[in-house]
């Protein structure tokens, strides 16, 4: 851990403000560029920073290369979610989704390519967008968030084609079942809903908090994270992190961790999860904890696996959360260094 | 006849009555039961018309009977007597009837009279009433006409025209929406406005009167002074008699001017001219005496000039022109060491510039910055006597150091203490700067010059206009030691700014200057800059020379900083006084930042030591970020609501309020929650620390700390009220939701609605 030595250099007004801003920064989202060499991270002040993974991982990396290549103000509110297509970076947060060209972003003064707002029913507060999901087969984007609905946007034309209604509270997360065009969504109301994209109908509902094995009423019923592997689904949040068999909709494994989890993903034959607490957890499917790798943030909100085939040397796991740092794990058991805003 | 009628009466009555039964009974009543027959009552029952008929008939009968009797009598005969008797009886009966009728008539008459009388009386009464009513009517009519003829005073008042009224009157008087339609209200409003304006004018009039009075008095006093000037001027003339021609002519000119007829304004101009000329003379004398190299003749002039000035002293005094005083100060200033001299000159110049900018009044009366020199001139002079051989030793400290060691060589075994004292010796003269703030609190700064170290130090003292009675346990905000700490970032005044000093210290065994700072004053960097001393870090210079331009470029910003520092410290002082009593003193102009009802309240506000702060488990982030230096002040606040206790560790930067206080939180409620295990606590910290600009309030935002604390109370309310209720736990929620929120949670980290929207009063997400 190469924590910066506490500077006792007294600071002026702007320095203090910047220090405080960094101190209270939360990185909500990450996305790796299609070339695999850059990582974008979005924070609670609406800024997006682009880090160069290749420079930071190279042998002659200096302290400088762990700083962002470029930082720009993307949104007015927090950047809750980002995804990358093969040319664009899509970012969303305060009710709008914006597209940026990866090729131009590294230049100064980058302007967004386009911006879209889903058709909201008018309300006092603009609902936020918590999750973005690309559906490559039909070249569309699914947005979900504060208005309790899933909006499908056609990336070709930029029009909103479908609205999927069913959730009774806002939606935290989305996951795509690769084989059949089905989407899973988990929300604050404690339900995981399975949607068929062809018919735009709700196929299945799992109310996780009603199952005694995983319900934890003192934490609430919200579903904070969701990942799927066609037949299997893992979800966590207020209820315990649980592996489900989708076809029979029964919980098979309850993972023994107390802290609510905010991000979960399948990786090879492992499940990686992160949430409240400093560690990235690695689980066997059977429910055994394989490893807990400590990071530098007190709480983690997002994990990102760089698996772009274009840059095999940049194959890393990055984790970010309640700090201005993005932890980089070169292999799963070891935190190599932190990128910092 | 009467006896007959008495005998026949009763049957007649009965007959004539027409109601024999009743008459009988009546009679029997009167006889038997002592009740008497009432003829009056009978009258009412009889018809007068018929009575009249009866009367006529009876009279005819009587006439007939009389005629028959006469006829019979004249005929005569035997049976005539019987017939006559019979007739007589009949006529007697008729007489009776007549009598009865007569009585009845009498009674009727009486009754009629009575009635008439009664009616008359009634008529009289009615008449009287009528009279009264008529009178009343007349009176009322008179009143009405009087009322109609009444003229309100206001009609005589010449009001401003309607358009003008609506244009000029303030809306609380004009009330356009009410008065536009209602002429009565309108007139009232206009009258109100008239009254208001008249009141103002009256006030103005009074002011003018008092002003006039004052001015008259002043004129009087000035006249007196002018009249008493004559003898004094004479004495000056005598003194000047020996002086060069120029000065004499000047003074004489002044003299002439003064003898002008003393009208009020000309006397003022005269006095000014006189002052200018006297000063001119004095300055010229000074100029001539300036080069010290000039010979005895010039010395003589100086002596003489001093004599002249002494003689003109009373004049200056009378004219409120303390040129001599100023001159004396300048004279003393010549003995100041170069850095103090630079400071003195620049500060004086700045002070005068400020005073001139602020008002065209005589600049000496109300200035915010006053400069003075303290200390004994003689000692300073004594200091300058020997250095004829080594001129530069006051700037070149190394040389001085060598000199002292040389001088001390014979007694090399002397204690180090003496050497240290010598090293830290101050120049006997010091410059006093008094900086006055708007609220009449004064910052006294005393600048010293350490001759051997070639640095300047400052001691500060704050005096307030009103005595601060409340004992403050929370820190020494106004203590001379800390009040000026970190005026510029990092300038804590503990280390010597002159790099050369370290070597000097090594020689005499001083570790750091900070041990002596209390006694000597703080050698802040800005003090050196005000004195024109600049110590470059990179290339050490051999000699550092006091530089005017450096001092001038720093003077204004430093003075402004000093002023804001004092004001912000006083504001903090005030806030602490109420915070200690658990009151968060939110001012009315910041009220809009918070909802009306705040349940959480401040319980404790105490100062804590720096070390204690560093050891708190929830302040690690701040320490790591380097925001917890030892120059800051540290406090602990405790906010409570029900069973929930929120601890807040506060770092107060000396640069408050441009640098905000920093809060770290720890909530004790259903377990301990800090920013590392609760995102919402982290968000609350962010709200007060990062979004502090919303809480600044009106410039210069001295209320920031109070507002941050109040905001923290509001945040705690929101946090507790929106905490999701655990269904498995029995019983009601401890904190029912009273705040209006659009949504309870938002975003991946499930933030609570901490942002307060002012006029609508609801909470939303940032």
């Amino acid at each position: 851990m190469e924590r910066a030595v506490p500077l006792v250099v007294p600071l002026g007004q702007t320095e203090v403000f910047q220090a405080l801003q960094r101190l209270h920064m939360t990185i909500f989202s990450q996305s790796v560029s299609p070339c695999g060499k850059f990582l974008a991270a979005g924070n609670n002040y609406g800024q997006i920073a682009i880090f160069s993974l290749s420079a930071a991982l190279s042998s002659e990396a200096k302290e400088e290369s762990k700083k962002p290549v470029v930082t720009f103000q993307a949104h007015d509110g927090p950047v809750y979610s980002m995804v990358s297509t093969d040319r664009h970076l899509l970012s969303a947060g305060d009710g709008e989704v914006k597209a940026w060209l990866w090729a131009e972003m590294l230049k100064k003064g980058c302007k967004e390519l386009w911006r879209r707002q889903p058709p909201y029913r008018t309300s006092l507060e603009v609902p936020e967008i918590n999750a973005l999901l690309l559906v490559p087969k039909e070249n569309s984007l699914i947005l979900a968030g504060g208005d309790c609905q899933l909006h499908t946007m056609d990336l070709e034309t930029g029009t909103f084609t479908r609205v999927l209604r069913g959730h009774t509270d806002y939606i935290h997360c989305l996951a795509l079942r690769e084989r059949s065009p089905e989407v899973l969504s988990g929300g604050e109301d404690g339900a995981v809903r399975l949607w068929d994209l062809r018919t735009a109908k709700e196929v299945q509902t799992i109310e996780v908090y009603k199952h005694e094995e995983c319900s934890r009423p003192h934490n609430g019923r919200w579903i904070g994270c969701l990942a799927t592997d066609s037949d299997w689904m893992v979800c966590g949040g207020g209820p315990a992190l649980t592996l489900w068999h989708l076809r029979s909709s029964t919980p098979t494994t309850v993972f023994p961790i107390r802290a609510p989890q905010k991000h979960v993903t399948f990786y090879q034959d492992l499940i990686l999860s992160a949430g409240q607490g400093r560690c990235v957890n690695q689980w066997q499917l059977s429910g055994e904890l394989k490893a807990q790798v400590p990071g530098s943030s007190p709480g983690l909100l997002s994990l990102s696996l760089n698996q772009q085939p274009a840059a095999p040397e940049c194959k890393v796991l990055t984790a970010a959360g309640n700090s201005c740092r993005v932890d980089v794990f070169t292999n799963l058991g070891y935190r190599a260094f932190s990128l910092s805003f | 006849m009467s006896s007959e009628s008495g005998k026949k009466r009763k049957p007649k009555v009965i007959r004539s009555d027409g109601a024999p039964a009743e008459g009988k009974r009546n009679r029997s009543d009167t006889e038997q039961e002592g009740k008497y027959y009432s003829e009056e009552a009978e009258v009412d029952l009889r018809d007068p018309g018929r009575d009249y008929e009866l009367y006529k008939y009876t009279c005819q009968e009587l006439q007939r009977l009389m005629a028959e009797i006469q006829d019979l009598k004249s005929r005569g005969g035997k049976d005539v007597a019987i017939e006559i008797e019979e007739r007589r009886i009949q006529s007697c009966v008729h007489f009776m009837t007549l009598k009865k009728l007569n009585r009845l008539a009498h009674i009727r008459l009486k009754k009629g009279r009575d009635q008439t009388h009664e009616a008359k009386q009634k008529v009289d009464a009615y008449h009287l009433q009528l009279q009264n009513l008529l009178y009343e009517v007349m009176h009322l009519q008179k009143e009405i006409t009087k009322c109609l003829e009444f003229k309100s005073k206001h009609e005589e008042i010449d009001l401003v025209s309607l358009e003008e009224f609506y244009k000029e009157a303030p809306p609380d008087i004009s009330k356009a929406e009410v008065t536009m339609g209602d002429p009565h209200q309108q007139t009232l409003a206009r009258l109100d406005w008239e009254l208001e304006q008249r009141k103002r004018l009256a006030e103005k009039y009074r002011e003018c009167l008092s002003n006039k009075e004052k001015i008259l008095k002043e004129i009087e006093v000035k006249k007196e002074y002018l009249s008493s000037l004559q003898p004094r001027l004479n004495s000056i003339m005598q003194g000047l008699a020996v002086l060069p021609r120029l000065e004499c002519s000047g003074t004489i000119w002044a003299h002439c001017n003064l003898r002008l007829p003393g009208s009020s304004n000309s006397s003022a101009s005269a006095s000014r001219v006189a002052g200018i000329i006297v000063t001119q003379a004095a300055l010229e004398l000074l100029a001539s005496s300036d080069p010290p190299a000039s010979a005895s003749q010039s010395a003589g002039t100086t002596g003489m000039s001093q004599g002249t000035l002494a003689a003109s002293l009373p004049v200056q005094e009378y004219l409120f022109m303390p040129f001599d005083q100023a001159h004396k100060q300048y004279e003393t200033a010549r003995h100041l060491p170069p850095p103090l001299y630079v400071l003195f000159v620049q500060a004086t110049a700045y002070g005068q510039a400020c005073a001139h900018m602020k008002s065209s009044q005589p600049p000496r009366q109300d200035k915010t910055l006053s400069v003075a020199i303290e200390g004994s001139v003689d000692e300073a002079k004594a200091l300058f006597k020997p250095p004829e051989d080594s001129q530069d030793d006051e700037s070149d400290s190394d040389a001085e150091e060598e000199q002292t060691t040389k001088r001390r060589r014979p007694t090399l075994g002397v204690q180090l203490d003496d050497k240290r004292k010598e090293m830290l010796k101050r120049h006997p003269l010091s410059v006093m700067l008094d900086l006055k703030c708007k609220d009449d609190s004064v910052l006294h700064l005393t600048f010293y010059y350490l001759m051997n170290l070639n640095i300047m130090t400052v001691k500060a003292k704050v005096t307030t206009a009103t005595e601060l009675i409340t004992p403050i346990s929370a820190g020494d905000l106004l203590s001379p030691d800390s009040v000026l700490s970190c005026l510029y970032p990092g300038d804590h005044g503990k280390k010597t700014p002159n790099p050369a000093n370290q070597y000097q210290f090594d020689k005499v065994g001083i570790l750091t200057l900070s041990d002596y700072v209390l006694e000597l004053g703080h050698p802040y960097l800005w003090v050196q800059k005000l004195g024109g001393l600049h110590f470059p870090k990179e290339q050490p210079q051999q000699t550092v020379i006091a530089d005017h331009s450096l001092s001038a470029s720093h003077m204004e910003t430093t003075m402004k900083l000093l002023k804001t520092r004092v004001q912000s410290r006083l504001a903090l002082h005030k806030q602490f006084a109420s915070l200690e009593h658990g009151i968060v003193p939110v001012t009315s102009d910041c009220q809009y930042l918070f909802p009306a009802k705040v349940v959480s309240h401040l319980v404790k506000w105490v100062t804590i030591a720096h070390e204690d702060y560093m050891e708190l488990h929830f302040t690690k982030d701040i320490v790591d970020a380097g925001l917890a230096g030892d120059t800051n002040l540290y406090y602990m606040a405790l906010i409570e609501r029900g069973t929930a206790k929120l601890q807040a560790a506060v770092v107060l930067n000396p640069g408050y309020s441009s640098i905000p206080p920093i809060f770290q939180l720890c909530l004790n409620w259903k377990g301990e929650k800090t920013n590392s295990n609760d995102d919402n606590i982290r968000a609350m910290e962010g709200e007060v620390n990062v979004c502090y600009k919303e809480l600044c309030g009106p410039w210069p935002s001295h209320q920031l700390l109070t507002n941050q604390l109040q905001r923290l109370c509001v945040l705690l309310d929101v946090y507790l009220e929106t905490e999701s209720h655990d269904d498995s736990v029995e019983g009601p929620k401890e904190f029912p939701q009273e705040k209006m929120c659009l949504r309870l949670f938002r975003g991946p980290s499930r933030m609570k609605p901490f942002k307060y929207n002012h006029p609508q009063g609801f909470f939303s997400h940032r």
Side-chain angles (χ1 to χ4, degrees):
Chain A
M1 235 165 84
E2 82 294 63
R3 161 156 304 149
V5 182
L7 327 149
V8 195
V9 180
L11 307 163
Q13 188 181 0
T14 45
E15 287 100 324
V16 168
F17 182 66
Q18 277 164 4
L20 285 173
Q21 238 186 356
R22 283 161 52 85
L23 206 61
H24 292 95
M25 192 182 289
T26 303
I27 300 175
F28 283 110
S29 53
Q30 309 173 58
S31 182
V32 180
S33 70
C35 66
K37 287 180 181 159
F38 295 98
L39 176 77
N43 70 9
N44 58 332
Y45 304 118
Q47 296 165 329
I48 293 179
I50 312 291
F51 297 96
S52 168
L53 284 176
S54 55
L57 287 164
S58 72
S59 51
E60 63 260 22
K62 281 174 288 197
E63 216 34 55
E64 274 302 294
S65 50
K66 287 163 190 167
K67 287 275 170 194
V69 183
V70 75
T71 307
F72 57 92
Q73 190 72 36
H75 292 262
D76 292 333
V79 184
Y80 286 134
S81 185
M82 287 197 293
V83 288
S84 291
T85 65
D86 45 359
R87 287 180 63 216
H88 303 139
L89 172 72
L90 306 175
S91 68
D94 49 352
E96 262 189 334
V97 57
K98 292 187 182 179
W100 315 80
L101 262 182
W102 269 110
E104 282 182 10
M105 226 173 343
L106 298 174
K107 296 173 197 158
K108 274 251 154 75
C110 173
K111 285 279 286 178
E112 80 258 16
L113 199 61
W114 47 260
R115 56 164 86 187
R116 294 279 183 280
Q117 187 168 25
Y120 296 123
R121 284 166 292 182
T122 50
S123 95
L124 260 171
E125 205 181 12
V126 178
E128 81 280 13
I129 297 172
N130 285 327
L132 295 176
L133 181 71
L134 281 172
V135 186
K137 269 187 194 165
E138 50 183 63
N139 191 22
S140 66
L141 177 75
I142 300 178
L143 306 89
D147 63 345
C148 316
Q149 302 168 2
L150 283 79
H151 297 272
T152 320
M153 191 182 98
D154 187 15
L155 281 178
E156 198 74 51
T157 59
T159 50
F160 290 91
T161 49
R162 272 171 306 202
V163 175
L164 307 175
R165 294 195 182 92
H167 276 283
T168 56
D169 207 334
Y170 77 92
I171 300 167
H172 274 287
C173 48
L174 295 171
L176 183 70
R177 277 181 97 180
E178 296 281 351
R179 259 184 301 182
S180 51
E182 284 179 345
V183 171
L184 288 148
S185 64
E188 184 74 15
D189 56 356
V192 174
R193 286 169 210 269
L194 192 61
W195 311 85
D196 189 332
L197 283 180
R198 286 166 297 196
T199 57
K201 290 260 167 61
E202 190 176 335
V203 185
Q204 195 180 348
T205 307
I206 303 173
E207 289 178 304
V208 180
Y209 63 96
K210 288 189 176 166
H211 292 262
E212 221 170 277
E213 303 93 308
C214 47
S215 122
R216 293 187 296 193
H218 57 277
N219 279 346
R221 49 175 71 163
W222 52 281
I223 297 296
C225 56
L226 193 63
T228 182
D229 188 12
S230 290
D231 283 342
W232 300 92
M233 180 222 12
V234 60
C235 68
L241 188 69
T242 319
L243 184 69
W244 293 73
H245 186 241
L246 272 181
R247 214 172 313 151
S248 59
S249 66
T250 44
T252 53
T253 317
V254 178
F255 298 96
I257 184 160
R258 288 168 58 87
Q261 296 298 294
K262 299 283 176 67
H263 197 278
V264 67
T265 180
F266 286 94
Y267 175 67
Q268 293 167 352
D269 55 347
L270 291 175
I271 289 170
L272 307 180
S273 81
Q276 200 63 261
R278 293 191 169 272
C279 300
V280 177
N281 308 301
Q282 300 173 16
W283 307 92
Q284 308 276 16
L285 290 182
S286 58
E288 282 165 46
L289 182 64
K290 191 190 168 219
Q292 264 194 323
V293 191
S296 66
S297 312
L300 293 173
L301 286 170
S302 72
L303 297 173
S304 161
L305 268 164
N306 184 3
Q307 288 170 310
Q308 292 294 342
E313 76 280 7
C314 298
K315 193 177 167 191
V316 290
L317 171 72
T318 51
N322 289 339
S323 74
C324 59
R325 293 178 289 278
V326 181
D327 296 338
V328 180
F329 301 83
T330 43
N331 69 41
L332 285 185
Y334 169 67
R335 184 179 75 96
F337 57 87
S338 296
L339 304 167
S340 174
F341 253 86
Chain B
M1 206 102 155
S2 62
S3 63
E4 272 174 280
S5 72
K7 280 177 210 165
K8 300 271 175 168
R9 187 182 152 197
K10 279 161 210 173
K12 187 69 202 174
V13 169
I14 289 158
R15 205 194 299 158
S16 65
D17 207 13
E22 196 177 323
K24 255 182 217 164
R25 206 191 63 200
N26 278 356
R27 195 182 58 226
S28 66
D29 278 352
T30 46
E31 280 167 2
Q32 288 164 12
E33 296 165 27
K35 279 187 183 172
Y36 52 89
Y37 163 75
S38 158
E39 217 157 25
E40 278 91 348
E42 198 190 340
V43 172
D44 293 336
L45 299 170
R46 294 179 70 106
D47 181 26
R50 273 176 54 198
D51 277 352
Y52 178 62
E53 293 292 313
L54 187 64
Y55 164 72
K56 269 206 219 149
Y57 166 75
T58 315
C59 286
Q60 269 173 9
E61 282 298 294
L62 264 177
Q63 274 173 352
R64 189 182 55 86
L65 285 173
M66 289 299 162
E68 275 176 6
I69 289 170
Q70 195 170 11
D71 197 35
L72 286 175
K73 268 191 177 169
S74 57
R75 259 191 284 159
K78 245 190 82 194
D79 52 335
V80 175
I82 300 158
E83 269 188 53
I84 288 173
E85 191 61 25
E86 199 179 318
R87 300 283 195 282
R88 219 172 67 190
I89 289 165
Q90 277 178 10
S91 55
C92 273
V93 170
H94 283 300
F95 268 116
M96 290 307 288
T97 312
L98 274 180
K99 264 187 140 174
K100 165 81 178 169
L101 283 174
N102 185 31
R103 263 199 321 278
L104 281 177
H106 269 292
I107 288 169
R108 272 212 186 96
L109 179 70
K110 192 171 171 265
K111 226 178 196 172
R113 271 190 189 141
D114 280 353
Q115 271 177 358
T116 317
H117 185 69
E118 215 169 282
K120 208 176 159 190
Q121 260 186 339
K122 231 183 227 168
V123 166
D124 277 353
Y126 281 136
H127 188 71
L128 203 67
Q129 213 173 335
L130 178 70
Q131 290 289 330
N132 277 343
L133 286 173
L134 279 178
Y135 180 76
E136 227 166 277
V137 166
M138 222 163 67
H139 177 71
L140 286 175
Q141 268 170 348
K142 239 188 233 168
E143 288 288 299
I144 287 168
T145 47
K146 222 190 252 174
C147 283
L148 286 176
E149 279 165 11
F150 175 76
K151 278 230 162 205
S152 173
K153 267 249 170 83
H154 83 265
E155 286 167 31
E156 295 161 22
I157 297 172
D158 197 13
L159 292 174
V160 290
S161 73
L162 210 56
E163 303 92 67
E164 213 176 314
F165 166 69
Y166 278 114
K167 210 162 54 188
E168 282 172 13
D172 60 315
I173 288 180
S174 68
K175 285 185 205 121
E177 70 282 358
V178 183
T179 54
M180 275 299 191
D182 188 347
H184 175 67
Q185 290 292 341
Q186 191 178 54
T187 317
L188 281 180
R190 285 173 72 186
L191 283 170
D192 277 346
W193 176 230
E194 182 73 24
L195 179 69
E196 181 72 32
Q197 278 178 320
R198 283 187 184 200
K199 270 184 190 165
R200 280 184 207 168
L201 286 175
E203 187 66 28
K204 214 174 181 182
Y205 175 66
R206 227 175 299 137
E207 249 171 54
C208 287
L209 269 189
S210 66
N211 264 354
K212 191 185 159 194
E213 198 77 6
K214 225 188 274 168
I215 289 166
L216 274 179
K217 256 184 209 163
E218 269 174 35
I219 289 171
E220 200 62 35
V221 169
K222 275 182 184 166
K223 265 186 189 165
E224 251 173 57
Y225 281 164
L226 283 178
S227 61
S228 68
L229 267 179
Q230 180 67 39
R232 306 226 174 237
L233 283 172
N234 279 341
S235 72
I236 294 169
M237 286 287 289
Q238 281 164 10
L240 283 174
V242 276
L243 281 176
R245 178 188 46 83
L246 215 151
E247 284 84 6
C248 285
S249 66
T251 324
I252 289 160
W253 182 27
H255 184 99
C256 296
N257 264 322
L258 285 167
R259 292 190 66 170
L260 285 168
S263 80
S264 64
N265 54 354
S266 82
S267 79
S269 76
S271 69
R272 198 158 295 160
V273 169
I276 289 163
I277 284 153
V278 171
T279 352
Q280 242 177 19
L283 286 177
E284 271 157 27
L285 280 171
L286 264 181
S288 66
S289 69
D290 223 14
S294 51
S296 60
Q297 161 243 347
S298 113
T301 323
T302 321
M304 238 180 291
S305 82
Q306 270 159 1
T308 324
L309 286 169
S312 67
L313 246 180
V315 184
Q316 292 179 19
E317 208 171 285
Y318 274 138
L319 299 175
F320 298 115
M321 292 188 163
F323 293 104
D324 198 50
Q325 219 179 327
H327 167 250
K328 247 185 202 159
Q329 272 214 340
Y330 288 129
E331 188 71 15
T332 324
R334 288 173 59 217
H335 298 286
L336 285 173
L340 284 182
Y341 183 74
V342 168
L343 172 72
F344 174 76
V345 170
Q346 293 296 337
T348 316
Y350 177 71
Q352 279 172 356
C354 277
H356 277 300
M357 266 189 287
K358 265 176 199 149
S359 62
S360 52
Q361 295 277 313
R364 307 242 158 204
Q365 310 297 325
D366 57 335
K367 57 182 186 176
T368 55
L369 183 74
S370 64
V371 190
I373 298 172
E374 276 195 350
S376 90
V377 187
D378 294 340
E379 266 182 64
K381 274 183 191 163
L383 210 68
F384 272 86
K385 284 257 165 73
E388 270 156 47
D389 40 358
S390 63
Q391 275 288 329
D392 57 343
D393 69 342
E394 82 271 14
S395 55
D396 189 346
S397 42
D398 281 331
E400 170 74 13
E401 174 59 23
E402 272 171 26
Q403 269 232 327
T404 45
T405 42
K406 239 182 247 169
R407 212 180 293 152
R408 297 276 162 121
R409 194 157 286 158
T411 54
L412 204 63
V414 112
Q415 303 97 320
L416 234 46
D417 266 1
D418 272 354
K419 276 193 174 179
R420 281 181 200 154
K421 260 182 206 157
E422 177 64 27
M423 169 100 47
L424 299 173
K425 205 172 155 194
R426 294 201 291 228
H427 193 276
L429 291 178
S430 58
V431 174
M432 277 274 291
L433 250 155
D434 286 0
L435 196 61
K436 208 181 278 175
C437 298
K438 267 172 211 142
D439 53 349
D440 276 353
S441 48
V442 185
L443 176 67
H444 305 279
L445 296 170
T446 318
F447 293 91
Y448 301 103
Y449 176 61
L450 304 185
M451 294 178 290
N452 295 334
L453 296 177
N454 190 26
I455 52 173
M456 287 169 73
T457 60
V458 69
K459 276 188 180 177
K461 205 179 133 219
V462 178
T463 54
T464 49
T466 49
E467 193 60 42
L468 297 169
I469 320 145
T470 39
I472 301 291
S473 57
D476 41 5
L477 285 172
L478 294 175
S479 80
D481 191 27
S482 73
V483 69
L484 296 179
S485 163
C486 295
L487 196 65
Y488 289 96
D491 192 2
H492 45 67
K494 295 264 159 78
K495 276 190 287 186
T496 167
N498 189 349
N501 290 163
Q502 201 51 53
Y503 305 108
Q504 292 169 277
F505 290 158
D506 289 346
K507 277 183 192 167
V508 293
I510 297 175
L511 286 177
T512 60
L513 191 63
S514 54
D515 305 333
Y516 301 92
V517 149
L518 265 185
E519 187 194 335
L520 295 173
H522 291 265
Y524 295 113
L525 275 174
W526 58 266
V527 181
Q528 321 304 322
K529 282 183 179 151
L530 287 190
L533 295 174
H534 180 59
F535 303 102
K537 286 230 166 84
E538 301 301 320
Q539 64 266 43
Q541 242 170 298
Q542 203 55 48
T543 51
V544 180
I545 302 153
D547 179 10
H548 274 276
S549 60
L550 180 69
S551 171
S553 62
H554 280 82
M555 183 60 74
E556 188 167 2
T557 36
T558 308
M559 287 301 150
K560 276 183 184 158
L561 278 173
L562 284 170
K563 236 184 243 185
T564 41
R565 167 60 60 89
V566 171
Q567 276 170 340
S568 70
R569 282 294 162 99
L570 287 172
L572 274 180
H573 205 274
K574 241 185 244 167
Q575 291 173 45
F576 281 2
S578 18
L579 289 178
E580 273 171 35
H581 293 98
I583 301 159
V584 185
V586 181
T587 54
S588 55
D589 45 5
C590 299
Q591 205 69 57
Y592 70 93
L593 292 167
F594 313 107
K597 191 183 171 194
V598 181
V599 187
S600 304
H601 56 276
L602 184 73
V603 180
K604 211 167 74 178
W605 173 263
V606 287
T607 175
I608 56 171
H610 179 219
E611 297 76 37
D612 296 343
Y613 181 87
M614 304 284 274
E615 276 163 25
L616 286 172
H617 61 281
F618 54 94
T619 55
K620 199 165 166 295
D621 289 344
I622 297 290
V623 176
D624 285 351
L627 294 169
D630 56 353
T631 50
N632 298 330
L633 303 167
Y634 295 88
Y635 300 94
M636 181 67 90
L638 183 66
I639 295 171
E640 270 188 11
R641 177 172 178 185
T643 55
K645 290 181 172 43
L646 181 73
Q647 279 179 291
V650 186
V651 185
L652 188 73
N653 196 295
Y656 179 88
S657 56
S658 64
I659 298 177
I662 302 167
F663 289 72
Q664 286 292 96
L665 307 177
C666 174
L667 177 65
N668 281 302
W669 184 60
K670 296 184 179 174
E672 194 177 77
K673 291 169 184 180
T674 64
N675 62 15
S676 59
N677 62 12
D678 192 322
D679 289 347
N680 279 305
I681 296 288
R682 194 161 181 269
M684 281 160 71
E685 287 177 3
E687 287 284 333
V688 284
N689 290 344
V690 181
C691 307
Y692 72 92
K693 280 176 185 150
E694 297 167 11
L695 302 170
C696 278
W699 198 86
S701 62
H702 292 319
Q703 286 294 316
L704 177 59
L705 177 70
T706 295
N707 289 347
Q708 279 179 315
L709 278 168
Q710 180 73 357
R711 175 91 177 114
L712 218 48
C713 292
V714 176
L715 292 175
L716 182 62
D717 275 356
V718 173
Y719 181 94
L720 294 175
E721 285 176 19
T722 57
E723 192 60 30
S724 53
H725 188 48
D726 188 351
D727 296 328
S728 65
V729 179
E730 295 289 319
K733 285 171 87 169
E734 186 184 350
F735 305 108
Q737 191 185 331
E738 287 165 348
K739 307 270 184 291
M740 203 166 42
C741 308
L742 293 180
R743 274 171 62 187
L744 292 188
F745 299 103
R746 180 181 161 124
S749 46
R750 306 183 75 236
M751 285 300 156
K752 295 173 186 240
F754 286 128
K755 186 180 168 189
Y756 177 66
N757 295 278
H758 164 53
Q760 299 89 1
F762 66 88
F763 285 84
S764 66
H765 290 84
R766 193 171 287 281

